[in-house]
Amino acid sequence: VQLQASGGGLVQAGGSLRLPCTASERTLSSYAMGWFRQAPGKERQFVATISRSSDSTYYADPVKGRFTISRDNVKNTIYLQMNSLKPEDTAVYYCAAGPRYSILAGSYAYWGQGTEVTVSS
């Protein structure tokens, strides 16, 4: 499965961005999906995950209440809606697909190339 993340860019603090991640194959419904991010000089960290059927979602504490993960299995796409952005949200954001709904990066077998988000203060 090839994943293509997009939608990154430069935004002011308090602004919003929506990151789509589209799969190359019409099998996205077979996978749990996740978003991770990596800031310069830091390790990749979990952001959000969603189950195959969308009945379960889970968020990292720093983004709870501000970010929303969703999926459209017909369009073979997942989304990360990011509101009330803060400078500390600046990072490269990666989408990932795997067999299990998980906060662990090692649980995901397929990764997108990343899209860069910069939040200015």
Side-chain angles (χ1 to χ4, degrees):
V1 176
Q2 291 185 330
L3 302 173
Q4 179 75 38
S6 61
L10 175 64
V11 63
Q12 288 188 331
S16 298
L17 282 175
R18 188 176 79 153
L19 306 183
C21 171
T22 301
S24 59
E25 302 172 9
R26 294 189 177 276
T27 58
L28 196 66
S29 59
S30 300
Y31 299 98
M33 301 295 296
W35 284 98
F36 291 76
R37 67 186 182 186
Q38 187 166 17
K42 295 188 177 181
E43 294 185 351
R44 189 170 299 190
Q45 63 176 197
F46 166 75
V47 175
T49 183
I50 187 167
S51 61
R52 284 178 285 183
S53 60
S54 302
D55 59 350
S56 296
T57 58
Y58 188 79
Y59 299 89
D61 285 344
V63 308
K64 278 181 182 176
R66 300 189 297 122
F67 289 13
T68 302
I69 187 172
S70 62
R71 66 191 298 161
D72 185 335
N73 288 337
V74 174
K75 293 184 178 179
N76 236 30
T77 301
I78 68 165
Y79 304 94
L80 185 67
Q81 177 66 45
M82 306 187 295
N83 298 330
S84 302
L85 282 161
K86 304 175 181 179
E88 51 263 45
D89 294 320
T90 295
V92 178
Y93 284 72
Y94 298 89
C95 57
R100 292 182 300 277
Y101 169 76
S102 174
I103 67 170
L104 300 176
S107 296
Y108 294 89
Y110 306 101
W111 291 81
Q113 86 292 353
T115 185
E116 188 168 4
V117 172
T118 302
V119 184
S120 62
S121 56

